[in-house]
Amino acid sequence: MGGFLVRYLLMFICLLMILLSSFLESSFPPSSCKLQNKFDLNGIHRPGDVILGGLFEVHYSSVFPERTFTSEPDQPNCRGFDTPGFRHAMTMAFAIDEINKNSKILPNVTLGYSLYDNCATLEIGFSAALSLASGQEEQFWLLENCSGTPSVVGIVGDPFSTFSIAASSVLGLFKLPIVSYFATCSCLSDRQRFPSFFRTIPSDAFQVRAMIQILKHFGWTWVGLLVSDDDYGLHVSRSFKSDFLQLSGGCLAYSEILPWEDHPNEYKKIVDLMARSTARVVIVFAHQIHLIHLMTEVVKQNVTGLQWIASEAWTVVGGLHTPEFMPFLGGTLGIAIRRGEIPGFRDYLLKINPAEQNSANNMVKQFWEDTFHCRFSADWLEDGGTLCTGEEELRNAETELLDVTELRPEYNIYKAVYALAHALDDMLHCVPGRGPFIGHSCATLQKLEPWQLMYYLEKVNFTTPFGDQVFFDENGDALPIYDIMNWLWLPDGSTKVQNVGEVKMSVFKGEEVTLDENKIFWNFKSKEPTTSVCSNNCPPGTHIARKRGKPVCCYDCIPCSEGKISNNTDSLECTSCPEDFWSSPQRDHCVLKRTEFLSYHEPLGICLTTTSLLGTFICTVVLGIFTYHRSTPMVRANNSELSFLLLVSLKLCFLCSLLFIGRPRLWTCQLRHAAFGISFVLCVSCILVKTMVVLAVFKASKPGGGTNLKWFGAMQQRGTVLVLTSIQAAICTAWLVSSSPTPHKNTQYYNDKVVYECAVGSTIGFGVLLGYIGVLAFLSFLLAFLARNLPDNFNEAKFITFSMLIFCAVWAAFVPAYVNSPGKYADAVEVFAILASSFGLLVALFGPKCYIILLKPERNTKKAIMGRETTKP
């Protein structure tokens, strides 16, 4: 590209010198312009009232003299006749001929043309553009006001972006309209740099986005990019690198520049890189000459298994459909210029004959010589060649010229010519006094300024016979639309380039891709599209972890941690589940957390419930036994009323444990501890009073101790139990009123479970409740321990001591076990403590009595109890 820029700058400087010289000469009489130099160019010309210029690639290489501006210019040696390029030139000639025959557009005005061959060389293309702008006449006289019709009013071309940039940079200063049919560089949309540039082909900005949509459609995110060393390729490279990641999340495995000249070492390095790369898709924005050099090396190294993506520059180029290349290029997908139909064009081409052309139209003769392998020069005959007669039958010739089935660049040329013609027609329909220019004036052919035609060109809007609407946006770009082509390699070795879809710009949806995948030929054994990714997609349940130092497409898939999920492919991060939810085993969705509480339906709950009911039943049986034997001394001893009350309280203790089983609710949370505290205080209060009565009885049996009994009558015993129990009831009431226990969903114990439990509300209230029970139990144990050795055959204090020892041991062990038990097991520990202490009291206090009542009735006498009965030997 650097060589192009240097040559371009040199020509620009020379042009300024020519313009300056012309200005100085025109500043003094005589008022005339004299051509300082003349380029000897290859072209076709037709006179007319208005001349349109055209630039085409009729030859694809040349040898140009080192000195461009000389007193005796040399003829450039253009090589390699390009028949499709000649057809492009003939398309413009046909369109102008058709317009001249159409009375509805530009009536009474004859269009002419000057068409030049750029020989695919910047110097020649730039020289041709300058020749069109300045004209080829040796000298012409200016009018008094220095006005006159320009040599050409508009130019169709150049097909190359670099050439268009060079020409537009200069001719844009004079606002000379240039309508390109093939230059796609997005840089040409810059109206500040190229104010008079228009085109009927979409820009590379759309082509890049269109190609990215195709890659996105097939999931190809890891691709290689090859571009030509010119403005076309380099601008595409910059756009593609930025847009590919942004629009589809893809990235490039490599990006290389293809040199224009045949450099085998450079191409070898590029193909070596392609062979080593894991990218299976290769995108090429280049020209036919680049592909020939590249594919030669690909064939040499036998690099297969690649999916080629072609830019519009070579998608429909027939020169690559060779038996040597097609085993590698078969299945190529490419972007192609919109196909159109031009009625009557083939008949026009059949009428071409060098005998009917004047000597200035060298292109036709060159085409004739290339097609029929003959020469018009007699020197050729002397060398053993065939002499051209001009009578050869073109209809029977094997030539690409007559293939009008795929008119793509030609259709753009056709639209470009008609755009200029419609702009001229609109200009000539201007009504004086209502014109768009100063003083509402109109432009005329006699005093036409290029910028005036450009004004109408910006507003042109018409429909072609093929049904396509033609207009230009604010950047001079036409409505963007591309065909998607596929290279079908047929069994007989021939190639068919078939249309498999289209990409067009939608106002609401952006780039819209339509593909018929059933028609696509895939050049793989599987007959399916290949996979080209640096890393496989991360499935739901994982997230992307970038590899350090690698492109963003290369990553590892890391499973989401517990409690987090990703439900999309290629998630960048995992999201946490809501509080009541947990991640599924696959980590791809949140599931409701399992709930945990001490249930009636689980084995532990069933065991505890059964034990509780069993204890209640035993209490009921013992109560029945005591009721039945209520008149016996064993029952009547030590206040039978307290014994019955004790049995009822134990029954309540067994039953209150059921409140700890089942899903916690507000009423069960509030009732469970209150019922537990009051029931146990009632139980322990009865035991405490019974112990005090035992002590009082034995003290009364001593001299002077009778007065002690008056403080332990039945009324006092009931009052003491009532007062002690009321204190606990007051504690529970204060606790429930101030900070009541409530149901609570605890998520701290387990990540995947919600533990339903009763929050105690006030830890102080709960502690006071347990502490009060502990104080009463300790007093009962202490008094019973003091009375354990009192003289009596049935000293109940011994059993009270033992029962209180069990009670205190159970609840002493309860505290650490309760604190360290999570979830439902805390409730199970509390239920177990209630049941264990209740059974301990029941067995220790009523077991011996039931044994005597049921199994040793002979000992159920007053004398036996008092120890006065004599035992027989």
Side-chain angles (χ1 to χ4, degrees):
M1 180 181 176
F4 286 148
L5 291 177
V6 170
R7 290 193 291 263
Y8 162 67
L9 290 174
L10 289 174
M11 291 185 181
F12 184 71
I13 293 172
C14 292
L15 174 69
L16 292 179
M17 292 174 65
I18 293 174
L19 294 177
L20 180 59
S21 175
S22 300
F23 173 76
L24 291 174
E25 289 187 10
S26 62
S27 299
F28 304 96
S31 180
S32 66
C33 286
K34 183 179 180 181
L35 193 66
Q36 297 296 307
N37 211 331
K38 185 177 181 180
F39 301 107
D40 194 355
L41 301 169
N42 187 31
I44 300 178
H45 308 278
R46 176 175 177 173
D49 300 328
V50 179
I51 304 299
L52 298 181
L55 298 171
F56 303 94
E57 180 196 358
V58 182
H59 291 81
Y60 51 78
S61 66
S62 67
V63 176
F64 200 83
E66 293 184 3
R67 294 182 301 165
T68 304
F69 296 95
T70 62
S71 57
E72 296 181 359
D74 296 325
Q75 170 71 34
N77 185 12
C78 295
R79 299 177 178 178
F81 192 84
D82 187 11
T83 302
F86 177 70
R87 186 172 60 214
H88 297 167
M90 290 299 98
T91 303
M92 181 170 178
F94 168 77
I96 291 177
D97 184 66
E98 187 178 67
I99 292 169
N100 287 334
K101 294 177 181 179
N102 189 348
S103 60
K104 295 181 180 180
I105 181 171
L106 291 176
N108 303 319
V109 176
T110 301
L111 289 180
Y113 55 77
S114 289
L115 313 181
Y116 286 125
D117 177 11
N118 64 20
C119 298
T121 306
L122 176 61
E123 291 90 333
I124 299 177
F126 189 75
S127 300
L130 295 182
S131 295
L132 290 173
S134 62
Q136 291 283 66
E137 296 181 12
E138 294 291 340
Q139 185 173 4
F140 59 92
W141 295 88
L142 295 176
L143 300 179
E144 293 182 358
N145 57 359
C146 294
S147 63
T149 304
S151 299
V152 295
V153 297
I155 298 176
V156 175
D158 190 292
F160 294 102
S161 293
T162 299
F163 298 7
S164 295
I165 291 172
S168 298
S169 297
V170 176
L171 303 186
L173 300 174
F174 307 100
K175 303 297 177 65
L176 180 64
I178 299 177
V179 186
S180 178
Y181 59 93
F182 214 70
T184 59
C185 181
S186 57
C187 60
L188 289 165
S189 297
D190 186 351
R191 302 309 277 175
Q192 296 296 324
R193 294 178 58 195
F194 312 106
S196 64
F197 181 82
F198 300 82
R199 54 184 157 195
T200 53
I201 186 173
S203 74
D204 285 334
F206 176 75
Q207 182 181 188
V208 166
R209 293 195 298 269
M211 198 165 290
I212 289 173
Q213 291 302 318
I214 296 175
L215 298 176
K216 186 177 180 180
H217 179 85
F218 291 106
W220 295 328
T221 58
W222 183 238
V223 302
L225 178 65
L226 304 178
V227 299
S228 56
D229 187 12
D230 55 14
D231 293 288
Y232 168 68
L234 298 178
H235 277 88
V236 162
S237 177
R238 285 193 291 269
S239 299
F240 195 91
K241 288 177 182 178
S242 59
D243 293 348
F244 190 32
L245 177 61
Q246 180 179 354
L247 297 179
S248 70
C251 45
L252 296 177
Y254 54 86
S255 177
E256 296 294 325
I257 299 175
L258 302 176
W260 275 91
E261 294 79 9
D262 184 12
H263 293 294
N265 291 334
E266 291 296 324
Y267 280 99
K268 184 178 184 301
K269 291 179 182 178
I270 293 172
V271 176
D272 286 340
L273 178 61
M274 293 165 57
R276 294 194 307 270
S277 175
T278 57
R280 297 292 86 197
V281 176
V282 182
I283 304 168
V284 184
F285 287 89
H287 307 281
Q288 178 180 353
I289 187 65
H290 300 99
L291 267 296
I292 292 174
H293 297 324
L294 177 67
M295 294 311 301
T296 301
E297 185 63 32
V298 169
V299 172
K300 183 178 179 180
Q301 296 192 27
N302 193 28
V303 181
T304 59
L306 297 178
Q307 175 62 51
W308 295 85
I309 306 294
S311 68
E312 40 74 33
W314 64 280
T315 293
V316 293
V317 172
L320 299 172
H321 302 161
T322 64
E324 182 184 15
F325 293 161
M326 281 310 296
F328 302 88
L329 289 176
T332 295
L333 286 174
I335 296 290
I337 301 169
R338 172 77 165 172
R339 175 187 172 275
E341 293 183 1
I342 305 177
F345 183 43
R346 191 173 190 277
D347 294 334
Y348 177 83
L349 294 176
L350 287 170
K351 296 177 182 178
I352 294 176
N353 193 309
E356 298 178 3
Q357 309 294 328
N358 58 50
S359 59
N361 295 335
N362 294 326
M363 283 189 195
V364 177
K365 294 181 179 180
Q366 293 163 2
F367 161 72
W368 208 263
E369 291 176 346
D370 182 75
T371 302
F372 295 103
H373 307 290
C374 61
R375 292 290 184 273
F376 286 97
S377 173
D379 296 337
W380 176 257
L381 185 62
E382 295 177 0
D383 295 335
T386 304
L387 188 65
C388 295
T389 65
E391 300 297 329
E392 290 82 2
E393 186 63 42
L394 186 59
R395 186 183 302 272
N396 299 328
E398 294 183 3
T399 175
E400 293 182 72
L401 180 73
L402 302 179
D403 183 7
V404 295
T405 58
E406 294 289 329
L407 299 179
R408 298 180 185 278
E410 294 85 354
Y411 188 49
N412 282 347
I413 296 168
Y414 186 79
K415 291 188 291 185
V417 174
Y418 266 87
L420 287 169
H422 276 279
L424 282 168
D425 189 62
D426 293 341
M427 183 188 74
L428 296 179
H429 279 84
C430 176
V431 178
R434 297 182 182 178
F437 307 120
I438 298 175
H440 300 290
S441 61
C442 296
T444 63
L445 291 179
Q446 292 74 24
K447 299 181 180 181
L448 176 63
E449 296 288 343
W451 60 267
Q452 294 174 320
L453 179 62
M454 193 180 80
Y455 170 84
Y456 287 98
L457 189 60
E458 290 174 342
K459 301 182 180 301
V460 77
N461 193 330
F462 64 95
T463 303
T464 68
F466 193 57
D468 288 333
Q469 188 178 11
V470 179
F471 63 91
F472 300 104
D473 63 14
E474 64 277 6
N475 297 320
D477 295 327
L479 180 69
I481 184 170
Y482 276 117
D483 289 337
I484 302 176
M485 310 303 291
N486 177 232
W487 289 17
L488 177 61
W489 191 25
L490 300 175
D492 61 358
S494 61
T495 301
K496 177 184 177 182
V497 181
Q498 59 179 352
N499 190 323
V500 294
E502 68 177 17
V503 189
K504 62 182 179 180
M505 176 64 75
S506 172
V507 177
F508 302 102
K509 298 181 180 179
E511 297 81 18
E512 198 171 349
V513 178
T514 304
L515 271 173
D516 186 357
E517 295 191 40
N518 294 325
K519 292 176 60 178
I520 299 177
F521 168 73
W522 301 106
N523 195 25
F524 307 105
K525 291 182 179 179
S526 64
K527 302 303 178 184
E528 297 289 335
T530 186
T531 300
S532 186
V533 295
C534 182
S535 300
N536 291 323
N537 292 335
C538 289
T542 62
H543 68 94
I544 290 175
R546 306 290 185 194
K547 291 182 179 180
R548 182 175 298 178
K550 298 288 185 179
V552 294
C553 296
C554 303
Y555 47 78
D556 294 319
C557 298
I558 307 299
C560 295
S561 57
E562 291 186 346
K564 294 186 176 182
I565 65 156
S566 65
N567 52 12
N568 295 320
T569 302
D570 290 339
S571 296
L572 295 178
E573 59 182 10
C574 300
T575 56
S576 299
C577 290
E579 183 179 6
D580 292 340
F581 290 83
W582 193 246
S583 55
S584 64
Q586 295 77 24
R587 308 285 197 273
D588 58 355
H589 67 281
C590 292
V591 296
L592 196 63
K593 285 184 178 180
R594 292 180 295 149
T595 57
E596 182 180 87
F597 54 87
L598 190 58
S599 171
Y600 288 108
H601 305 291
E602 60 178 305
L604 181 59
I606 293 172
C607 291
L608 295 175
T609 302
T610 303
T611 305
S612 175
L613 295 176
L614 178 62
T616 304
F617 175 73
I618 294 174
C619 285
T620 302
V621 171
V622 173
L623 185 60
I625 293 172
F626 269 52
T627 302
Y628 185 77
H629 298 279
R630 62 183 176 277
S631 59
T632 62
M634 183 61 68
V635 176
R636 291 170 58 88
N638 197 7
N639 196 341
S640 61
E641 185 179 341
L642 287 178
S643 297
F644 283 105
L645 188 59
L646 181 57
L647 283 171
V648 172
S649 65
L650 285 174
K651 190 174 183 179
L652 293 175
C653 289
F654 280 115
L655 291 175
C656 79
S657 64
L658 297 177
L659 295 172
F660 291 84
I661 304 174
R663 183 166 181 165
R665 303 184 185 280
L666 182 60
W667 68 272
T668 58
C669 289
Q670 292 176 337
L671 188 58
R672 61 168 57 174
H673 288 106
F676 154 72
I678 294 173
S679 298
F680 267 91
V681 165
L682 178 61
C683 177
V684 176
S685 298
C686 292
I687 295 172
L688 178 61
V689 172
K690 287 175 69 71
T691 306
M692 294 171 65
V693 169
V694 170
L695 286 173
V697 169
F698 281 97
K699 286 185 176 292
S701 61
K702 295 180 179 181
T707 57
N708 293 326
L709 286 176
K710 67 179 181 179
W711 300 107
F712 292 96
M715 186 63 68
Q716 286 81 1
Q717 294 176 30
R718 288 194 291 269
T720 302
V721 171
L722 180 61
V723 170
L724 294 176
T725 305
S726 298
I727 294 174
Q728 183 70 310
I731 293 173
C732 291
T733 302
W735 179 20
L736 294 177
V737 171
S738 62
S739 183
S740 173
T742 56
H744 173 63
K745 293 190 295 185
N746 194 323
T747 58
Q748 303 301 317
Y749 294 140
Y750 308 101
N751 290 327
D752 58 343
K753 295 179 184 178
V754 176
V755 178
Y756 285 92
E757 60 184 10
C758 287
V760 295
S762 173
T763 306
I764 296 176
F766 185 51
V768 172
L769 181 145
L770 292 178
Y772 183 63
I773 296 174
V775 170
L776 295 181
F778 179 75
L779 289 175
S780 298
F781 171 75
L782 183 61
L783 294 176
F785 182 78
L786 295 175
R788 69 188 187 284
N789 294 322
L790 295 177
D792 193 348
N793 198 32
F794 187 83
N795 187 357
E796 195 174 12
K798 295 179 181 179
F799 302 107
I800 293 175
T801 303
F802 184 65
S803 67
M804 286 295 98
L805 184 62
I806 295 174
F807 185 89
C808 292
V810 168
W811 288 102
F814 160 77
V815 174
Y818 181 83
V819 171
N820 292 288
S821 297
K824 66 179 181 180
Y825 298 104
D827 291 335
V829 167
E830 191 165 357
V831 172
F832 179 81
I834 292 172
L835 296 178
S837 57
S838 298
F839 271 111
L841 295 175
L842 179 63
V843 173
L845 294 177
F846 295 96
K849 293 182 179 181
C850 291
Y851 173 78
I852 293 174
I853 293 173
L854 299 176
L855 301 179
K856 298 291 183 178
E858 68 276 7
R859 294 174 58 182
N860 191 5
T861 62
K862 187 175 181 180
K863 291 182 178 180
I865 293 173
M866 299 299 294
R868 298 172 184 172
E869 186 174 21
T870 304
T871 305
K872 295 181 181 182

